[in-house]
Amino acid sequence: MNQSPLPTTDALPVVRLLPKAKPQVIRHGFPWVFANELVMDRRTKGVTPGGLVVVEDAERRPLGLGTMNPLSKIAVRMLDFDPEAVIDQAWFKTKIARALQHRDAIYDEPVYRLVHAEADGLPGIIIDRFGDVAVIQPNAAYAEAMLEPLIAALIEVTGVTTVIKNGTGRARSLEGLEEEMVVVHGTQPTGAIPVMMNGATYMADVM
């Protein structure tokens, strides 16, 4: 796993929208760029799945920073609308802290979906929390590459003592990622975790 930030903007390839595409949709916050909206030249097709790219409109004006998968219909997932953003532990920490603030305002107990992918500014990443246990689904190639700083940020923000990687499901196969279910921090829970919800107790088998 990679502890260092992903490459800086100066080293990143640029992908460009076709003239028929609508850049204002991206500027207004839409998180995806579809393959049929991009100039799919040899350089664009050669980007490693999960690699960072600077996204530009047809007039070569930057739209932001994204993660590219040239093999997917969703070719780019927007990570940050600042093209010079650095994707590192501090970046993940900011996103997770914002998500936690929203959940703390709604839930009395720390049992919830903490991060819901694009809705929380972390494309392809799901994090479910069960008290001191968190389960991460890194369903995008960039998330797999940056799993270590992602986990470190999660622990720093929430104080969870166990983190489980749920690396299963069709989304990972579409990203070219292997399936894996493993404890990546702390110790494996013994049995299911009791979860109180609406006056009832549910048992969550996090493994």
Side-chain angles (χ1 to χ4, degrees):
M1 288 181 285
N2 184 6
Q3 295 186 33
S4 61
L6 293 181
T8 60
T9 301
D10 292 342
L12 296 179
V14 174
V15 298
R16 190 167 296 117
L17 296 186
L18 292 167
K20 68 176 183 179
K22 297 180 179 179
Q24 61 269 30
V25 174
I26 303 299
R27 291 193 179 98
H28 291 163
F30 191 72
W32 298 340
V33 181
F34 295 99
N36 62 4
E37 297 176 309
L38 286 175
V39 177
M40 294 298 287
D41 56 18
R42 184 170 61 181
R43 185 180 181 186
T44 300
K45 292 179 181 179
V47 174
T48 301
L52 291 183
V53 293
V54 174
V55 183
E56 294 183 346
D57 65 16
E59 304 299 323
R60 299 179 183 268
R61 292 172 295 200
L63 296 171
L65 192 66
T67 176
M68 176 88 186
N69 188 343
L71 305 178
S72 173
K73 289 184 179 180
I74 301 174
V76 176
R77 298 174 188 268
M78 299 301 296
L79 296 179
D80 203 296
F81 294 99
D82 176 3
E84 298 185 356
V86 177
I87 310 303
D88 58 7
Q89 183 175 329
W91 185 86
F92 283 116
K93 179 182 175 182
T94 298
K95 299 286 187 179
I96 295 171
R98 186 178 298 129
L100 179 62
Q101 184 179 28
H102 291 325
R103 274 61 177 186
D104 280 346
I106 298 172
Y107 299 101
D108 295 327
E109 299 294 332
V111 180
Y112 39 65
R113 174 150 290 179
L114 173 61
V115 169
H116 199 164
E118 282 82 354
D120 289 301
L122 288 169
I125 298 175
I126 300 291
I127 303 177
D128 291 313
R129 185 177 183 184
F130 303 89
D132 291 331
V133 177
V135 180
I136 293 182
Q137 298 178 48
N139 293 329
Y142 86 97
E144 184 73 24
M146 294 291 290
L147 189 58
E148 194 162 322
L150 170 60
I151 292 168
L154 172 64
I155 294 169
E156 184 179 357
V157 172
T158 65
V160 295
T161 56
T162 295
V163 180
I164 298 166
K165 173 186 171 183
N166 178 1
T168 62
R170 184 170 179 267
R172 284 180 61 85
S173 64
L174 293 175
E175 290 280 310
L177 301 173
E178 295 181 359
E179 293 202 357
E180 181 181 42
M181 191 80 178
V182 63
V183 176
V184 291
H185 178 82
T187 57
Q188 180 174 327
T190 56
I193 298 174
V195 175
M196 297 295 298
M197 188 180 299
N198 297 326
T201 301
Y202 299 87
M203 304 303 292
D205 183 356
V206 293
M207 294 299 295

